[in-house]
Amino acid sequence: MDGTKAKRHGEAENVGLSSDGKKVVIIDQTELPARKIQLELETSGEMYDAIRDLKVRGAPAIGICAACCMYCLARQIETEDMDTFMRELTAYGDYLNSSRPTAVNLSWAIQRMLKTARAHKQKGRSKVLAVLGRECRNIQEEDIAMCRAISEYGLTLIREGDGILTHCNAGPLATSCYGTALGPLMLGAERGMKFKVYADETRPLLQGARLTSYELLQAGIDVTLICDNMAATVMKKGWVQACFVGCDRVAANGDTANKIGTNGVAVLANYYGIPFYVLGPTSTIDTDCHTGDEIEIELRDDEEIKKKYYKRPMAPEGVKCYNPAFDVTDHSLITGIVTEKGILRPPYEETIRKLFKQEEIRR
Ligand code: MRU
């Protein structure tokens, strides 16, 4: 996180703190794969814009970034009056939280940082800053461990030589290490296993083309890029044995929000009898959200459909666009939800409830 530790396999180093701990350092994911540019975020406005503009993206990475942002912003609050300090930190949290609505990891990380600050506020400003610094390191370390566990569980679902279809990017760049949906493939490759991956390009922002195929190529994994509307064809040909996708929010009944187009992949997989797995940490399960209908879906700018990443506009000026960033896959289409605690199977309402009950008892 401070740039001094050794790099682990599949670790993206996509988000962390500067060595003086005053800035958040990210790799600008909108510039990949053409250019690998590091950005330093110092003001709350720069942080908000980086999340909104998808310079840092992917639910777990957004959470880690938000934690780092909260720490840096806390350092900028100069007052020793801890009530004022908490009020200002909460306002920063509210502001960052309004940058993107769908991935629950954003509010989860902000709330966790606020809770930590609150728990230590009696001890004064410098103590609170020290624990906040530790907390954002913890969040990143926990994410690495979670991705590793998800990867191990996910690997039990596939066999050497299988064809796996994935949508969007749920690899190291979207997390901290290994990734979620790409994690089992990264881990398998590390152990010498071979797979064939079909990466949907994932319109409109092309995270599959720009990021997933880039990460898999770098890891030496056989990857074939397809347009989103080719998924049915590769499935019909029998080239896909499983679908692995990430998630931004999982409702208590197992309905899952992920990048737009995921629902279409799930419907196709169901038709062709291909298992469809969602992979994500338990921090992405929002038990306060009963069904997918309650998940707020982010609507984004028309420009992403019409011209972003194209040399010339691909649509006539003035045409109406509808650009939701996510869709919700009905729980009935999901074969399993792979978490760091194990693989959840239907009926999800029950298995999710049981999992959270066990966790409560353990805490
Ligand atoms: O808009 P994005 O790029 O942040 O959307 C990302 C996804 O939908 C990912 O699949 C999800 O966040 C899981 S990342 C491990």
Side-chain angles (χ1 to χ4, degrees):
M1 197 143 190
D2 59 3
T4 55
K5 68 173 169 41
K7 195 173 182 299
R8 279 166 270 214
H9 181 87
E11 191 169 5
E13 293 182 85
N14 52 338
V15 52
L17 291 170
S18 60
S19 49
D20 63 5
K22 289 186 177 165
K23 294 173 213 133
V24 181
V25 184
I26 60 164
I27 291 175
D28 182 349
Q29 297 192 39
T30 60
E31 293 289 338
L32 287 170
R35 300 191 303 164
K36 196 168 176 177
I37 296 174
Q38 271 198 342
L39 295 179
E40 292 190 340
L41 315 173
E42 197 167 5
T43 65
S44 58
E46 287 166 353
M47 293 166 183
Y48 178 97
D49 289 352
I51 299 172
R52 185 202 51 199
D53 297 343
L54 311 190
K55 292 180 190 304
V56 55
R57 38 76 40 211
I62 293 171
I64 296 165
C65 180
C68 294
C69 293
M70 289 295 280
Y71 170 62
C72 293
L73 293 170
R75 289 179 60 141
Q76 292 171 24
I77 304 171
E78 281 175 1
T79 179
E80 295 291 336
D81 177 79
M82 293 313 284
D83 287 329
T84 310
F85 180 96
M86 281 311 301
R87 248 195 322 277
E88 288 186 25
L89 192 62
T90 305
Y92 277 135
D94 291 343
Y95 174 60
L96 290 178
N97 195 34
S98 64
S99 58
R100 293 194 79 188
T102 306
V104 71
N105 310 58
L106 177 61
S107 55
W108 172 85
I110 291 168
Q111 286 313 319
R112 183 162 155 177
M113 293 296 277
L114 286 173
K115 195 172 161 196
T116 304
R118 230 174 277 123
H120 293 86
K121 79 171 212 195
Q122 308 303 351
K123 298 174 194 154
R125 181 179 175 276
S126 64
K127 177 70 187 169
V128 166
L129 292 183
V131 289
L132 287 180
R134 218 165 35 235
E135 194 66 350
C136 58
R137 268 190 297 278
N138 290 344
I139 288 177
Q140 190 172 45
E141 287 301 320
E142 284 167 23
D143 190 71
I144 293 170
M146 281 188 298
C147 287
R148 170 94 200 186
I150 288 168
S151 306
E152 290 283 5
Y153 283 119
L155 196 53
T156 65
L157 300 169
I158 47 177
R159 285 182 303 196
E160 170 109 36
D162 275 355
I164 314 297
L165 187 138
T166 190
H167 190 78
C168 194
N169 173 265
L173 281 163
T175 58
S176 49
C177 193
Y178 288 107
T180 55
L182 299 191
L185 307 167
M186 294 279 176
L187 190 64
E190 203 175 76
R191 293 175 183 167
M193 292 172 75
K194 301 232 181 302
F195 307 103
K196 282 187 181 308
V197 184
Y198 295 94
D200 282 353
E201 63 176 356
T202 318
R203 283 272 287 152
L205 268 127
L206 303 167
Q207 290 96 329
R210 293 186 301 102
L211 309 175
T212 298
S213 61
Y214 166 78
E215 290 192 310
L216 292 174
L217 272 182
Q218 277 200 328
I221 296 171
D222 180 343
V223 55
T224 303
L225 180 64
I226 59 171
C227 299
D228 297 353
N229 50 4
M230 296 168 192
T233 295
V234 295
M235 288 185 187
K236 192 172 177 181
K237 283 179 180 293
W239 295 349
V240 179
Q241 278 66 55
C243 297
F244 278 5
V245 299
C247 49
D248 290 85
R249 197 182 291 244
V250 179
N253 71 344
D255 291 351
T256 294
N258 192 48
K259 179 53 56 180
I260 189 77
T262 304
N263 183 36
V265 174
V267 170
L268 290 174
N270 183 256
Y271 180 81
Y272 289 108
I274 297 166
F276 179 90
Y277 295 104
V278 169
L279 296 90
T282 47
S283 55
T284 309
I285 302 175
D286 181 358
T287 50
D288 291 337
C289 176
H290 302 99
T291 76
D293 292 343
E294 292 171 28
I295 301 176
E296 184 180 347
I297 300 294
E298 176 183 11
L299 284 175
R300 295 187 63 87
D301 203 43
D302 292 4
E303 185 264 352
E304 292 179 347
I305 295 182
K306 294 195 219 169
K307 33 181 183 250
K308 198 168 173 94
Y309 298 119
Y310 296 103
K311 270 199 177 138
R312 276 175 284 159
M314 285 293 126
E317 191 66 43
V319 70
K320 274 198 298 181
C321 292
Y322 173 54
N323 185 18
F326 301 94
D327 59 22
V328 174
T329 299
D330 195 88
H331 60 275
S332 63
L333 298 172
I334 300 171
T335 314
I337 301 176
V338 184
T339 75
E340 78 281 9
K341 312 261 185 226
I343 303 171
L344 301 173
R345 301 280 185 178
Y348 294 113
E349 199 147 359
E350 205 175 302
T351 49
I352 289 175
R353 198 183 329 111
K354 262 194 198 148
L355 175 77
F356 276 77
K357 218 176 184 141
Q358 271 168 16
E359 286 310 300
E360 247 169 55
I361 293 165
R362 224 171 278 161
R363 259 184 247 133

